[in-house]
Amino acid sequence: MNLLSSLFRRLLRMATVVLLVIVGSIVLVRFAPGYLSDAREMDARYAEGARNELATEAARSGSVGGMLWSEVRGLLRRDLGVSRQYEVPVVELVRPCLAVTVGLLLKSMMLAWIIAGCTATISNWGRSPVSLPGRLCHLTSTVLLAVPIGAMATMCLLADSGGPLLVLTTLLAARDFKFLDRMLRKAWNDPHLLHARAQGVSTPELIRVHLLPGIMPQLGSLATLSILTALGAMVPVEVIFSTPGIGQLAWNAAMNRDLPVLLAVTVMMAIAVTASGFGTGSRPATEWQTA
Amino acid sequence: MRFRSIAGWLLLAMVLIATAIVTSSGKAISEQDRNAVLEGASHRHPAGTDSLGRDRIVRVSAAFLLSLTGAVAASFISTAAAAGVGLLAAFSTAGVGTLTMLVCDVFLALPWLFLLMMVRSMLPLSTSPADSALITFVVLAALGWPACARAVYQGALRLRNSEWMIHARAGGMRIRQIPRQVLPNLLPLLLPQFLICVPAFVVAEANLGTLGLGVGEPLPSWGGMLLELGNSAILMQTAWVYLPIAVLVMALLLLESTAREA
């Protein structure tokens, strides 16, 4: 019963967060200084009648309530609204992109976890905070985090080596390494582990029996952090490599002020992040999210 | 401690050099030399020129200063807002606290870049470069506080339940005295949060710039200059001009990690 009520509470919280995200995004966009200006109004090819229609359309979508209603109606109709730019249901634009992006994200996250796990283990192997491998791993991850993802992607493109998977994996591995390393270092020096080590328990047994069960809950937070980082990084990566994914769709929508698409993508991202927090039992990680 | 002082001195030296270059070169950031378009390093232009004939060393220095100043200011606003919200949530009623943290969760559930893209794309088409820079960093500050606020909330909650605080409240401490008593104790928490924000904002602006949604031309910014990476001719000539800002972010990351460990 307790489990059910806790599950229900978390579901309710998730639904509230998603609803607030929709309202917040709409309010933010509605009150952005240039919301009511439309690039099409500057196009001389539009006739006076078309301009009047544009003005009417702008006035109709000018109220927060109206925007919210059209968004909710899109969600209820499962078409996520109609794209201003392409004049087709948003869901038709999103569906093919989603498959590409999910595949890319899953592959890069899995690879990044393996790399980060291995490097964090190597970094902690010497059991000294000033070990050479540890310092080298830290330096490498700091250098990688200092390069914006866009620059990294462009370099790969110019060098004609690597692709979106390599860039995303590199960024995620660098970020995950910092988190995993801190976590392992703390866990490795826990009193019960120190005691077990002093008693001569073998390292594989220490890791399997004591270390892994202890850090399992924190791995949930790491998963959320990975998802957040990957979602933030995928836009520049997909745009630069011309990958037909959600990131490129969002960028195109931003450049063409296609609000329904942009809003739908933002809400989907929010659902993904909230659901990952829900699934792993953690709140969205409070680590820094910018890619 | 050693790393922190190295990073601090490095930062100071870079700021001084960039300021000296901008103020003493005698060239404006948007001044064009039409006879020297895409020129390599020369006596007149030590780092060459860009595709519009503008001196690159002046632009890199100005971009460095703009990114750093904007990120520091945004980080300050963000940390101050987080301190206010965290304190309010911790020291008010349980209902207000829950509601405030729910708002934080909403902000944390949104990937930054999407929100930034959404807001930046909705700016008027005639936004001036200075306004675009201001809006970019204000939006960064406005979206950057929740993670910090959650950390402050946890810290303030611990303080609220500490013995000295219970004693002080039982002794009649007034509400307006709380920030004055609590903030100094939260400084060890606020400083790393501030330092985390600065490199994050510099990189966020660069990522926005790469997408063409950052600070508008002709103002130089790291993001705007990264757009030039698409032109391999410029890249081959003066790839090193990107180094100062990468070093800036590295120094900031180093400062942040030492502050976090401290």
Side-chain angles (χ1 to χ4, degrees), chain A residues 13 29 34 135 149 158 182 232 251 254 257 270 283 286 288-289 291, chain B residues 3 105 108 112-113 118 121-123 150 200 203 207 211 229 235 260:
Chain A
R13 190 179 179 94
V29 168
R135 279 198 186 284
I149 191 81
L158 289 175
R182 210 177 309 138
W251 181 71
R257 303 160 82 91
R283 289 171 188 284
T286 50
W288 204 257
Q289 316 157 16
Chain B
F3 276 123
D105 277 357
L108 285 170
W112 271 39
L113 205 62
M118 206 149 75
S121 67
M122 289 298 150
L123 289 184
R150 189 165 271 290
V203 175
N207 279 329
L211 297 172
L229 279 176
L235 188 68
R260 201 198 281 251

PDB file of all heavy atoms in Angstrom, chain A residues 13 29 34 135 149 158 182 232 251 254 257 270 283 286 288-289 291, chain B residues 3 105 108 112-113 118 121-123 150 200 203 207 211 229 235 260:
ATOM      1  N   ARG A  13       3.418  14.165  -8.949  1.00  0.00           N
ATOM      2  CA  ARG A  13       4.446  15.212  -8.995  1.00  0.00           C
ATOM      3  C   ARG A  13       4.984  15.371 -10.420  1.00  0.00           C
ATOM      4  O   ARG A  13       5.163  16.481 -10.909  1.00  0.00           O
ATOM      5  CB  ARG A  13       5.583  14.850  -8.028  1.00  0.00           C
ATOM      6  CG  ARG A  13       6.565  15.991  -7.828  1.00  0.00           C
ATOM      7  CD  ARG A  13       7.662  15.638  -6.851  1.00  0.00           C
ATOM      8  NE  ARG A  13       8.576  16.750  -6.729  1.00  0.00           N
ATOM      9  CZ  ARG A  13       8.502  17.687  -5.814  1.00  0.00           C
ATOM     10  NH1 ARG A  13       7.538  17.657  -4.933  1.00  0.00           N
ATOM     11  NH2 ARG A  13       9.379  18.666  -5.775  1.00  0.00           N
ATOM     12  N   VAL A  29       7.620  32.375 -23.603  1.00  0.00           N
ATOM     13  CA  VAL A  29       7.625  32.719 -25.025  1.00  0.00           C
ATOM     14  C   VAL A  29       6.676  33.885 -25.297  1.00  0.00           C
ATOM     15  O   VAL A  29       7.011  34.816 -26.032  1.00  0.00           O
ATOM     16  CB  VAL A  29       7.211  31.481 -25.852  1.00  0.00           C
ATOM     17  CG1 VAL A  29       6.913  31.876 -27.290  1.00  0.00           C
ATOM     18  CG2 VAL A  29       8.324  30.465 -25.835  1.00  0.00           C
ATOM     19  N   GLY A  34       9.863  39.902 -28.743  1.00  0.00           N
ATOM     20  CA  GLY A  34       9.504  39.940 -30.171  1.00  0.00           C
ATOM     21  C   GLY A  34       8.466  38.933 -30.559  1.00  0.00           C
ATOM     22  O   GLY A  34       8.353  38.595 -31.733  1.00  0.00           O
ATOM     23  N   ARG A 135      45.388  12.139 -11.947  1.00  0.00           N
ATOM     24  CA  ARG A 135      45.616  13.523 -12.393  1.00  0.00           C
ATOM     25  C   ARG A 135      45.429  13.645 -13.900  1.00  0.00           C
ATOM     26  O   ARG A 135      44.836  14.600 -14.383  1.00  0.00           O
ATOM     27  CB  ARG A 135      47.035  13.970 -12.013  1.00  0.00           C
ATOM     28  CG  ARG A 135      47.138  14.406 -10.573  1.00  0.00           C
ATOM     29  CD  ARG A 135      48.383  15.233 -10.367  1.00  0.00           C
ATOM     30  NE  ARG A 135      48.558  15.519  -8.968  1.00  0.00           N
ATOM     31  CZ  ARG A 135      47.870  16.412  -8.297  1.00  0.00           C
ATOM     32  NH1 ARG A 135      46.939  17.094  -8.904  1.00  0.00           N
ATOM     33  NH2 ARG A 135      48.093  16.628  -7.023  1.00  0.00           N
ATOM     34  N   ILE A 149      30.758  22.170 -27.162  1.00  0.00           N
ATOM     35  CA  ILE A 149      30.407  21.017 -27.986  1.00  0.00           C
ATOM     36  C   ILE A 149      30.362  21.377 -29.473  1.00  0.00           C
ATOM     37  O   ILE A 149      30.743  20.577 -30.329  1.00  0.00           O
ATOM     38  CB  ILE A 149      29.073  20.408 -27.487  1.00  0.00           C
ATOM     39  CG1 ILE A 149      28.802  19.058 -28.127  1.00  0.00           C
ATOM     40  CG2 ILE A 149      27.906  21.324 -27.704  1.00  0.00           C
ATOM     41  CD1 ILE A 149      29.522  17.957 -27.475  1.00  0.00           C
ATOM     42  N   LEU A 158      35.704  19.153 -39.790  1.00  0.00           N
ATOM     43  CA  LEU A 158      36.784  19.661 -40.631  1.00  0.00           C
ATOM     44  C   LEU A 158      37.895  18.629 -40.806  1.00  0.00           C
ATOM     45  O   LEU A 158      38.497  18.529 -41.859  1.00  0.00           O
ATOM     46  CB  LEU A 158      37.360  20.948 -40.036  1.00  0.00           C
ATOM     47  CG  LEU A 158      36.460  22.177 -40.121  1.00  0.00           C
ATOM     48  CD1 LEU A 158      37.080  23.344 -39.386  1.00  0.00           C
ATOM     49  CD2 LEU A 158      36.201  22.558 -41.565  1.00  0.00           C
ATOM     50  N   ARG A 182      34.325  11.148  -8.272  1.00  0.00           N
ATOM     51  CA  ARG A 182      34.039  11.700  -6.938  1.00  0.00           C
ATOM     52  C   ARG A 182      33.296  10.665  -6.089  1.00  0.00           C
ATOM     53  O   ARG A 182      33.591  10.456  -4.919  1.00  0.00           O
ATOM     54  CB  ARG A 182      33.203  12.975  -7.088  1.00  0.00           C
ATOM     55  CG  ARG A 182      33.439  13.982  -5.972  1.00  0.00           C
ATOM     56  CD  ARG A 182      32.654  15.242  -6.184  1.00  0.00           C
ATOM     57  NE  ARG A 182      32.852  15.793  -7.522  1.00  0.00           N
ATOM     58  CZ  ARG A 182      31.876  16.287  -8.271  1.00  0.00           C
ATOM     59  NH1 ARG A 182      30.654  16.312  -7.847  1.00  0.00           N
ATOM     60  NH2 ARG A 182      32.145  16.771  -9.464  1.00  0.00           N
ATOM     61  N   GLY A 232      21.071  18.487 -23.897  1.00  0.00           N
ATOM     62  CA  GLY A 232      21.590  19.829 -24.158  1.00  0.00           C
ATOM     63  C   GLY A 232      22.593  19.836 -25.300  1.00  0.00           C
ATOM     64  O   GLY A 232      22.661  20.780 -26.079  1.00  0.00           O
ATOM     65  N   TRP A 251      16.183  23.280 -33.823  1.00  0.00           N
ATOM     66  CA  TRP A 251      16.968  24.428 -34.308  1.00  0.00           C
ATOM     67  C   TRP A 251      16.281  25.086 -35.510  1.00  0.00           C
ATOM     68  O   TRP A 251      16.169  26.302 -35.580  1.00  0.00           O
ATOM     69  CB  TRP A 251      18.379  23.963 -34.687  1.00  0.00           C
ATOM     70  CG  TRP A 251      19.249  25.066 -35.164  1.00  0.00           C
ATOM     71  CD1 TRP A 251      19.773  26.080 -34.410  1.00  0.00           C
ATOM     72  CD2 TRP A 251      19.686  25.298 -36.503  1.00  0.00           C
ATOM     73  NE1 TRP A 251      20.525  26.916 -35.204  1.00  0.00           N
ATOM     74  CE2 TRP A 251      20.491  26.461 -36.486  1.00  0.00           C
ATOM     75  CE3 TRP A 251      19.493  24.627 -37.700  1.00  0.00           C
ATOM     76  CZ2 TRP A 251      21.092  26.963 -37.635  1.00  0.00           C
ATOM     77  CZ3 TRP A 251      20.093  25.130 -38.841  1.00  0.00           C
ATOM     78  CH2 TRP A 251      20.878  26.293 -38.800  1.00  0.00           C
ATOM     79  N   ALA A 254      13.458  27.009 -34.277  1.00  0.00           N
ATOM     80  CA  ALA A 254      13.877  28.257 -33.626  1.00  0.00           C
ATOM     81  C   ALA A 254      14.235  29.309 -34.666  1.00  0.00           C
ATOM     82  O   ALA A 254      13.877  30.483 -34.533  1.00  0.00           O
ATOM     83  CB  ALA A 254      15.072  28.005 -32.709  1.00  0.00           C
ATOM     84  N   ARG A 257      11.013  30.548 -36.204  1.00  0.00           N
ATOM     85  CA  ARG A 257      10.015  30.960 -35.215  1.00  0.00           C
ATOM     86  C   ARG A 257       8.766  30.082 -35.272  1.00  0.00           C
ATOM     87  O   ARG A 257       7.644  30.570 -35.184  1.00  0.00           O
ATOM     88  CB  ARG A 257       9.660  32.437 -35.422  1.00  0.00           C
ATOM     89  CG  ARG A 257      10.885  33.332 -35.341  1.00  0.00           C
ATOM     90  CD  ARG A 257      10.645  34.653 -35.995  1.00  0.00           C
ATOM     91  NE  ARG A 257       9.945  35.568 -35.110  1.00  0.00           N
ATOM     92  CZ  ARG A 257      10.525  36.414 -34.277  1.00  0.00           C
ATOM     93  NH1 ARG A 257      11.825  36.443 -34.207  1.00  0.00           N
ATOM     94  NH2 ARG A 257       9.825  37.217 -33.535  1.00  0.00           N
ATOM     95  N   ALA A 270      11.245  17.844 -21.487  1.00  0.00           N
ATOM     96  CA  ALA A 270      10.913  17.932 -20.063  1.00  0.00           C
ATOM     97  C   ALA A 270      10.344  16.611 -19.570  1.00  0.00           C
ATOM     98  O   ALA A 270      10.687  16.145 -18.475  1.00  0.00           O
ATOM     99  CB  ALA A 270       9.904  19.050 -19.833  1.00  0.00           C
ATOM    100  N   ARG A 283      15.558  13.085  -7.993  1.00  0.00           N
ATOM    101  CA  ARG A 283      15.126  14.343  -8.587  1.00  0.00           C
ATOM    102  C   ARG A 283      16.069  14.638  -9.731  1.00  0.00           C
ATOM    103  O   ARG A 283      17.160  14.078  -9.772  1.00  0.00           O
ATOM    104  CB  ARG A 283      15.257  15.476  -7.561  1.00  0.00           C
ATOM    105  CG  ARG A 283      14.261  15.381  -6.480  1.00  0.00           C
ATOM    106  CD  ARG A 283      14.628  16.409  -5.436  1.00  0.00           C
ATOM    107  NE  ARG A 283      13.804  16.253  -4.269  1.00  0.00           N
ATOM    108  CZ  ARG A 283      12.550  16.630  -4.177  1.00  0.00           C
ATOM    109  NH1 ARG A 283      11.980  17.186  -5.195  1.00  0.00           N
ATOM    110  NH2 ARG A 283      11.868  16.461  -3.069  1.00  0.00           N
ATOM    111  N   THR A 286      21.170  17.975  -9.679  1.00  0.00           N
ATOM    112  CA  THR A 286      21.460  19.391  -9.519  1.00  0.00           C
ATOM    113  C   THR A 286      22.865  19.732  -9.990  1.00  0.00           C
ATOM    114  O   THR A 286      23.353  20.810  -9.759  1.00  0.00           O
ATOM    115  CB  THR A 286      21.302  19.823  -8.049  1.00  0.00           C
ATOM    116  OG1 THR A 286      22.027  18.907  -7.257  1.00  0.00           O
ATOM    117  CG2 THR A 286      19.857  19.853  -7.635  1.00  0.00           C
ATOM    118  N   TRP A 288      25.610  20.633 -12.880  1.00  0.00           N
ATOM    119  CA  TRP A 288      25.412  21.595 -13.949  1.00  0.00           C
ATOM    120  C   TRP A 288      24.978  20.917 -15.239  1.00  0.00           C
ATOM    121  O   TRP A 288      25.418  19.842 -15.576  1.00  0.00           O
ATOM    122  CB  TRP A 288      26.692  22.417 -14.158  1.00  0.00           C
ATOM    123  CG  TRP A 288      26.251  23.650 -14.755  1.00  0.00           C
ATOM    124  CD1 TRP A 288      26.350  24.008 -16.048  1.00  0.00           C
ATOM    125  CD2 TRP A 288      25.511  24.650 -14.094  1.00  0.00           C
ATOM    126  NE1 TRP A 288      25.707  25.184 -16.239  1.00  0.00           N
ATOM    127  CE2 TRP A 288      25.192  25.595 -15.069  1.00  0.00           C
ATOM    128  CE3 TRP A 288      25.048  24.838 -12.795  1.00  0.00           C
ATOM    129  CZ2 TRP A 288      24.464  26.738 -14.771  1.00  0.00           C
ATOM    130  CZ3 TRP A 288      24.331  25.968 -12.515  1.00  0.00           C
ATOM    131  CH2 TRP A 288      24.052  26.890 -13.490  1.00  0.00           C
ATOM    132  N   GLN A 289      24.037  21.554 -15.957  1.00  0.00           N
ATOM    133  CA  GLN A 289      23.423  20.857 -17.068  1.00  0.00           C
ATOM    134  C   GLN A 289      23.920  21.304 -18.437  1.00  0.00           C
ATOM    135  O   GLN A 289      23.634  20.662 -19.431  1.00  0.00           O
ATOM    136  CB  GLN A 289      21.917  21.088 -17.077  1.00  0.00           C
ATOM    137  CG  GLN A 289      21.269  20.972 -15.749  1.00  0.00           C
ATOM    138  CD  GLN A 289      19.971  21.737 -15.729  1.00  0.00           C
ATOM    139  OE1 GLN A 289      19.431  22.090 -16.736  1.00  0.00           O
ATOM    140  NE2 GLN A 289      19.487  22.022 -14.554  1.00  0.00           N
ATOM    141  N   ALA A 291      25.750  21.807 -21.728  1.00  0.00           N
ATOM    142  CA  ALA A 291      26.709  20.943 -22.418  1.00  0.00           C
ATOM    143  C   ALA A 291      27.977  21.706 -22.752  1.00  0.00           C
ATOM    144  O   ALA A 291      27.939  22.815 -23.160  1.00  0.00           O
ATOM    145  CB  ALA A 291      26.103  20.440 -23.683  1.00  0.00           C
TER     146      ALA A 291
ATOM    147  N   PHE B   3      46.730  24.887  -7.040  1.00  0.00           N
ATOM    148  CA  PHE B   3      46.014  24.982  -8.309  1.00  0.00           C
ATOM    149  C   PHE B   3      45.118  26.206  -8.343  1.00  0.00           C
ATOM    150  O   PHE B   3      44.989  26.870  -9.351  1.00  0.00           O
ATOM    151  CB  PHE B   3      45.166  23.724  -8.535  1.00  0.00           C
ATOM    152  CG  PHE B   3      45.946  22.599  -9.136  1.00  0.00           C
ATOM    153  CD1 PHE B   3      46.020  21.385  -8.491  1.00  0.00           C
ATOM    154  CD2 PHE B   3      46.603  22.754 -10.341  1.00  0.00           C
ATOM    155  CE1 PHE B   3      46.747  20.347  -9.032  1.00  0.00           C
ATOM    156  CE2 PHE B   3      47.321  21.727 -10.893  1.00  0.00           C
ATOM    157  CZ  PHE B   3      47.400  20.516 -10.232  1.00  0.00           C
ATOM    158  N   ASP B 105      12.088  22.363  -9.460  1.00  0.00           N
ATOM    159  CA  ASP B 105      12.027  21.108 -10.224  1.00  0.00           C
ATOM    160  C   ASP B 105      11.586  21.362 -11.651  1.00  0.00           C
ATOM    161  O   ASP B 105      12.089  20.723 -12.586  1.00  0.00           O
ATOM    162  CB  ASP B 105      11.051  20.128  -9.559  1.00  0.00           C
ATOM    163  CG  ASP B 105      11.708  19.374  -8.423  1.00  0.00           C
ATOM    164  OD1 ASP B 105      12.919  19.579  -8.213  1.00  0.00           O
ATOM    165  OD2 ASP B 105      11.024  18.590  -7.745  1.00  0.00           O
ATOM    166  N   LEU B 108      14.463  22.724 -13.444  1.00  0.00           N
ATOM    167  CA  LEU B 108      15.497  21.701 -13.631  1.00  0.00           C
ATOM    168  C   LEU B 108      15.086  20.662 -14.670  1.00  0.00           C
ATOM    169  O   LEU B 108      15.932  20.003 -15.258  1.00  0.00           O
ATOM    170  CB  LEU B 108      15.784  21.002 -12.300  1.00  0.00           C
ATOM    171  CG  LEU B 108      16.607  21.799 -11.303  1.00  0.00           C
ATOM    172  CD1 LEU B 108      16.619  21.125  -9.953  1.00  0.00           C
ATOM    173  CD2 LEU B 108      18.026  21.971 -11.793  1.00  0.00           C
ATOM    174  N   TRP B 112      18.257  23.446 -20.675  1.00  0.00           N
ATOM    175  CA  TRP B 112      18.553  24.868 -20.881  1.00  0.00           C
ATOM    176  C   TRP B 112      18.494  25.315 -22.316  1.00  0.00           C
ATOM    177  O   TRP B 112      17.883  26.314 -22.642  1.00  0.00           O
ATOM    178  CB  TRP B 112      19.986  25.086 -20.444  1.00  0.00           C
ATOM    179  CG  TRP B 112      20.161  25.412 -19.058  1.00  0.00           C
ATOM    180  CD1 TRP B 112      19.485  24.894 -17.990  1.00  0.00           C
ATOM    181  CD2 TRP B 112      21.087  26.341 -18.560  1.00  0.00           C
ATOM    182  NE1 TRP B 112      19.978  25.438 -16.858  1.00  0.00           N
ATOM    183  CE2 TRP B 112      20.958  26.328 -17.184  1.00  0.00           C
ATOM    184  CE3 TRP B 112      22.027  27.162 -19.150  1.00  0.00           C
ATOM    185  CZ2 TRP B 112      21.738  27.129 -16.376  1.00  0.00           C
ATOM    186  CZ3 TRP B 112      22.800  27.949 -18.352  1.00  0.00           C
ATOM    187  CH2 TRP B 112      22.649  27.935 -16.974  1.00  0.00           C
ATOM    188  N   LEU B 113      19.232  24.552 -23.122  1.00  0.00           N
ATOM    189  CA  LEU B 113      19.459  25.034 -24.475  1.00  0.00           C
ATOM    190  C   LEU B 113      18.140  25.230 -25.213  1.00  0.00           C
ATOM    191  O   LEU B 113      17.990  26.166 -25.983  1.00  0.00           O
ATOM    192  CB  LEU B 113      20.356  24.041 -25.212  1.00  0.00           C
ATOM    193  CG  LEU B 113      21.147  24.643 -26.350  1.00  0.00           C
ATOM    194  CD1 LEU B 113      22.091  25.716 -25.879  1.00  0.00           C
ATOM    195  CD2 LEU B 113      21.904  23.580 -27.103  1.00  0.00           C
ATOM    196  N   MET B 118      14.382  28.929 -27.455  1.00  0.00           N
ATOM    197  CA  MET B 118      12.998  29.379 -27.602  1.00  0.00           C
ATOM    198  C   MET B 118      12.907  30.887 -27.361  1.00  0.00           C
ATOM    199  O   MET B 118      12.315  31.614 -28.149  1.00  0.00           O
ATOM    200  CB  MET B 118      12.134  28.632 -26.593  1.00  0.00           C
ATOM    201  CG  MET B 118      10.708  28.502 -27.000  1.00  0.00           C
ATOM    202  SD  MET B 118      10.022  26.981 -26.347  1.00  0.00           S
ATOM    203  CE  MET B 118       9.816  27.380 -24.662  1.00  0.00           C
ATOM    204  N   SER B 121      14.930  32.930 -30.011  1.00  0.00           N
ATOM    205  CA  SER B 121      14.322  32.960 -31.341  1.00  0.00           C
ATOM    206  C   SER B 121      13.105  33.868 -31.380  1.00  0.00           C
ATOM    207  O   SER B 121      12.665  34.272 -32.448  1.00  0.00           O
ATOM    208  CB  SER B 121      13.941  31.550 -31.776  1.00  0.00           C
ATOM    209  OG  SER B 121      12.911  31.070 -30.958  1.00  0.00           O
ATOM    210  N   MET B 122      12.554  34.189 -30.214  1.00  0.00           N
ATOM    211  CA  MET B 122      11.369  35.037 -30.186  1.00  0.00           C
ATOM    212  C   MET B 122      11.718  36.524 -30.025  1.00  0.00           C
ATOM    213  O   MET B 122      10.835  37.356 -29.870  1.00  0.00           O
ATOM    214  CB  MET B 122      10.444  34.615 -29.034  1.00  0.00           C
ATOM    215  CG  MET B 122       9.750  33.296 -29.271  1.00  0.00           C
ATOM    216  SD  MET B 122       8.693  33.368 -30.709  1.00  0.00           S
ATOM    217  CE  MET B 122       8.751  31.681 -31.260  1.00  0.00           C
ATOM    218  N   LEU B 123      13.002  36.845 -30.011  1.00  0.00           N
ATOM    219  CA  LEU B 123      13.375  38.260 -29.872  1.00  0.00           C
ATOM    220  C   LEU B 123      13.019  39.017 -31.149  1.00  0.00           C
ATOM    221  O   LEU B 123      12.968  38.424 -32.223  1.00  0.00           O
ATOM    222  CB  LEU B 123      14.878  38.379 -29.601  1.00  0.00           C
ATOM    223  CG  LEU B 123      15.337  37.924 -28.228  1.00  0.00           C
ATOM    224  CD1 LEU B 123      16.821  38.180 -28.064  1.00  0.00           C
ATOM    225  CD2 LEU B 123      14.581  38.627 -27.130  1.00  0.00           C
ATOM    226  N   ARG B 150      18.455  24.818  -5.012  1.00  0.00           N
ATOM    227  CA  ARG B 150      18.207  23.550  -4.313  1.00  0.00           C
ATOM    228  C   ARG B 150      19.338  23.252  -3.323  1.00  0.00           C
ATOM    229  O   ARG B 150      19.097  22.810  -2.203  1.00  0.00           O
ATOM    230  CB  ARG B 150      18.069  22.426  -5.341  1.00  0.00           C
ATOM    231  CG  ARG B 150      17.600  21.148  -4.761  1.00  0.00           C
ATOM    232  CD  ARG B 150      17.146  20.199  -5.839  1.00  0.00           C
ATOM    233  NE  ARG B 150      15.744  20.373  -6.166  1.00  0.00           N
ATOM    234  CZ  ARG B 150      14.742  20.038  -5.365  1.00  0.00           C
ATOM    235  NH1 ARG B 150      14.998  19.541  -4.176  1.00  0.00           N
ATOM    236  NH2 ARG B 150      13.499  20.223  -5.708  1.00  0.00           N
ATOM    237  N   ALA B 200      30.096  27.597 -16.885  1.00  0.00           N
ATOM    238  CA  ALA B 200      28.901  27.037 -17.545  1.00  0.00           C
ATOM    239  C   ALA B 200      28.235  28.088 -18.428  1.00  0.00           C
ATOM    240  O   ALA B 200      27.810  27.787 -19.545  1.00  0.00           O
ATOM    241  CB  ALA B 200      27.918  26.537 -16.499  1.00  0.00           C
ATOM    242  N   VAL B 203      30.374  28.741 -21.619  1.00  0.00           N
ATOM    243  CA  VAL B 203      30.199  27.676 -22.610  1.00  0.00           C
ATOM    244  C   VAL B 203      28.778  27.710 -23.198  1.00  0.00           C
ATOM    245  O   VAL B 203      28.589  27.477 -24.397  1.00  0.00           O
ATOM    246  CB  VAL B 203      30.516  26.298 -21.978  1.00  0.00           C
ATOM    247  CG1 VAL B 203      30.221  25.178 -22.951  1.00  0.00           C
ATOM    248  CG2 VAL B 203      31.981  26.236 -21.575  1.00  0.00           C
ATOM    249  N   ASN B 207      27.822  27.939 -27.071  1.00  0.00           N
ATOM    250  CA  ASN B 207      26.969  26.976 -27.777  1.00  0.00           C
ATOM    251  C   ASN B 207      25.815  27.669 -28.488  1.00  0.00           C
ATOM    252  O   ASN B 207      25.452  27.303 -29.595  1.00  0.00           O
ATOM    253  CB  ASN B 207      26.437  25.923 -26.809  1.00  0.00           C
ATOM    254  CG  ASN B 207      27.471  24.838 -26.551  1.00  0.00           C
ATOM    255  OD1 ASN B 207      28.282  24.522 -27.420  1.00  0.00           O
ATOM    256  ND2 ASN B 207      27.480  24.297 -25.364  1.00  0.00           N
ATOM    257  N   LEU B 211      25.033  28.196 -32.764  1.00  0.00           N
ATOM    258  CA  LEU B 211      23.755  27.992 -33.449  1.00  0.00           C
ATOM    259  C   LEU B 211      23.230  29.286 -34.071  1.00  0.00           C
ATOM    260  O   LEU B 211      22.136  29.314 -34.624  1.00  0.00           O
ATOM    261  CB  LEU B 211      22.714  27.461 -32.449  1.00  0.00           C
ATOM    262  CG  LEU B 211      23.026  26.093 -31.837  1.00  0.00           C
ATOM    263  CD1 LEU B 211      22.049  25.770 -30.723  1.00  0.00           C
ATOM    264  CD2 LEU B 211      22.965  25.011 -32.901  1.00  0.00           C
ATOM    265  N   LEU B 229      34.474  28.965 -37.487  1.00  0.00           N
ATOM    266  CA  LEU B 229      35.164  27.677 -37.617  1.00  0.00           C
ATOM    267  C   LEU B 229      34.758  26.961 -38.899  1.00  0.00           C
ATOM    268  O   LEU B 229      35.489  26.135 -39.421  1.00  0.00           O
ATOM    269  CB  LEU B 229      34.827  26.784 -36.416  1.00  0.00           C
ATOM    270  CG  LEU B 229      35.604  27.023 -35.131  1.00  0.00           C
ATOM    271  CD1 LEU B 229      35.080  26.141 -34.034  1.00  0.00           C
ATOM    272  CD2 LEU B 229      37.076  26.735 -35.325  1.00  0.00           C
ATOM    273  N   LEU B 235      40.458  29.119 -40.180  1.00  0.00           N
ATOM    274  CA  LEU B 235      40.895  28.184 -39.135  1.00  0.00           C
ATOM    275  C   LEU B 235      42.363  27.828 -39.301  1.00  0.00           C
ATOM    276  O   LEU B 235      43.121  27.803 -38.335  1.00  0.00           O
ATOM    277  CB  LEU B 235      40.014  26.936 -39.204  1.00  0.00           C
ATOM    278  CG  LEU B 235      40.216  25.942 -38.076  1.00  0.00           C
ATOM    279  CD1 LEU B 235      39.734  26.537 -36.768  1.00  0.00           C
ATOM    280  CD2 LEU B 235      39.490  24.655 -38.353  1.00  0.00           C
ATOM    281  N   ARG B 260      35.201  23.419  -4.849  1.00  0.00           N
ATOM    282  CA  ARG B 260      34.288  22.350  -4.462  1.00  0.00           C
ATOM    283  C   ARG B 260      34.960  21.401  -3.463  1.00  0.00           C
ATOM    284  O   ARG B 260      34.359  20.956  -2.503  1.00  0.00           O
ATOM    285  CB  ARG B 260      33.882  21.570  -5.710  1.00  0.00           C
ATOM    286  CG  ARG B 260      32.604  20.789  -5.570  1.00  0.00           C
ATOM    287  CD  ARG B 260      32.579  19.775  -6.648  1.00  0.00           C
ATOM    288  NE  ARG B 260      32.191  20.346  -7.925  1.00  0.00           N
ATOM    289  CZ  ARG B 260      31.016  20.102  -8.497  1.00  0.00           C
ATOM    290  NH1 ARG B 260      30.133  19.386  -7.866  1.00  0.00           N
ATOM    291  NH2 ARG B 260      30.738  20.578  -9.670  1.00  0.00           N
TER     292      ARG B 260
END
